[in-house]
Amino acid sequence: MINLNSKIYVAGHTGLVGSAILRQLKSRGYRNVIYRTRNELDLKNQIKVYNFLKKQKPDFIFIAAAKVGGIHSNNTYKADFNFDNISIQTNLINSAYRNGIKDLIFLGSSCVYPRNCKQPIKESYLLTGALEKTNDAYAIAKIAGIKMLEYYNKQHRLKGVSVMPCNLYGPNDNYDLNNSHFYPALIKKIYIAKKTNKNDLLIWGSGKAKRELMFVNDFADSVIYFMKKNIKEPFLNIG
């Protein structure tokens, strides 16, 4: 049973979601939260990840570590997005299992669902249609993580759950116009337009797409809530 004294490892604690999970855990009084920078622990290195978890033996793991980016970077560096994310999640899930760590939450992405999927998106829509081509490499990696955790739950009796966030925003977001997601890019473009007294700005896309937004602290609260629940479903949408 997870309590305020449980050792909780947040992988990816400097990112948008990981930093929010870390903030919310500390604000709620969790006293034994551990984390490592990229220089301290390369999550793409299987041996180092295994040895770290063997030594630390956390009671719970949040897998918020990932290579992320916006439309431009996802479409330009497909090999990197696919390899890096598959490596990170595979090393963490498999090393957790090998070290007897059963409780974990893996962060997926809403892009795992088909490009033209019905709205509102239901979990049952996974793998029912073609993905959005601009970020299919990232989506395929995330789908692999979702299914890997599902299989490890069944075969090795892990108690992991994957969660799919909607579009998140908040502190520690990326505002680089070539690599950010749509909402921080929109904020940055409006900010620049205001600062330079422009009367218009260019926004990518047709304007027809609908987006669901959530403040990242609210998302972090939700995954901390599910950390203490026995979830039977292999993955959940959070929105």
Side-chain angles (χ1 to χ4, degrees):
M1 183 69 180
I2 302 299
N3 56 54
L4 295 179
N5 294 314
S6 299
K7 183 182 282 190
I8 300 171
Y9 169 45
V10 181
H13 73 284
T14 60
L16 173 65
V17 178
S19 63
I21 294 173
L22 184 60
R23 280 195 306 274
Q24 299 306 91
L25 285 170
K26 288 185 174 181
S27 71
R28 289 164 178 257
Y30 288 89
R31 303 187 262 289
N32 198 5
V33 184
I34 61 172
Y35 44 88
R36 294 292 184 273
T37 65
R38 192 175 302 175
N39 290 333
E40 292 171 324
L41 177 62
D42 179 5
L43 294 177
K44 292 183 289 184
N45 187 308
Q46 185 181 50
I47 295 173
K48 290 183 178 180
V49 172
Y50 172 81
N51 289 336
F52 169 75
L53 293 181
K54 181 179 180 180
K55 180 180 179 180
Q56 295 294 330
K57 281 291 179 72
D59 300 298
F60 197 95
I61 300 175
F62 284 104
I63 304 179
K67 181 178 179 63
V68 298
I71 294 173
H72 175 75
S73 55
N74 266 283
N75 198 34
T76 305
Y77 307 108
K78 287 178 180 282
D80 295 343
F81 275 88
N82 191 254
F83 174 81
D84 288 1
N85 285 299
I86 287 177
S87 297
I88 290 167
Q89 64 206 28
T90 298
N91 290 340
L92 286 166
I93 294 171
N94 187 59
S95 294
Y97 153 67
R98 291 174 63 197
N99 283 295
I101 303 162
K102 292 184 177 293
D103 295 298
L104 59 156
I105 284 180
F106 170 66
L107 271 68
S109 169
S110 57
C111 71
V112 301
Y113 292 107
R115 182 180 187 275
N116 295 317
C117 140
K118 292 187 293 184
Q119 300 292 328
I121 299 174
K122 298 180 180 180
E123 290 87 349
S124 59
Y125 296 164
L126 186 71
L127 297 175
T128 59
L131 300 167
E132 164 59 44
K133 290 188 178 298
T134 57
N135 63 358
D136 57 352
Y138 175 74
I140 288 168
K142 286 295 185 179
I143 292 170
I146 294 167
K147 300 307 287 186
M148 179 181 184
L149 190 53
E150 180 183 342
Y151 302 148
Y152 271 56
N153 286 346
K154 290 181 179 179
Q155 184 174 338
H156 300 307
R157 297 187 178 181
L158 266 64
K159 293 183 286 184
V161 61
S162 299
V163 295
M164 309 305 115
C166 58
N167 292 267
L168 303 176
Y169 67 94
N172 292 323
D173 211 338
N174 174 15
Y175 292 90
D176 185 305
L177 292 179
N178 288 319
N179 295 304
S180 62
H181 289 105
F182 94 97
Y183 196 53
L186 182 61
I187 293 172
K188 180 74 172 286
K189 287 180 177 182
I190 294 171
Y191 171 77
I192 292 172
K194 293 285 286 184
K195 290 283 285 186
T196 57
N197 294 315
K198 287 187 176 180
N199 293 320
D200 52 46
L201 63 153
L202 181 65
I203 300 173
W204 294 354
S206 65
K208 295 179 180 180
K210 294 182 179 180
R211 301 279 192 152
E212 182 180 10
L213 296 169
M214 176 180 280
F215 184 53
V216 71
N217 283 9
D218 296 331
F219 177 77
D221 286 340
S222 71
V223 296
I224 292 171
Y225 171 83
F226 284 117
M227 173 182 71
K228 296 176 286 186
K229 300 294 181 181
N230 182 19
I231 307 299
K232 296 181 180 180
E233 294 80 5
F235 62 101
L236 299 169
N237 293 336
I238 297 181

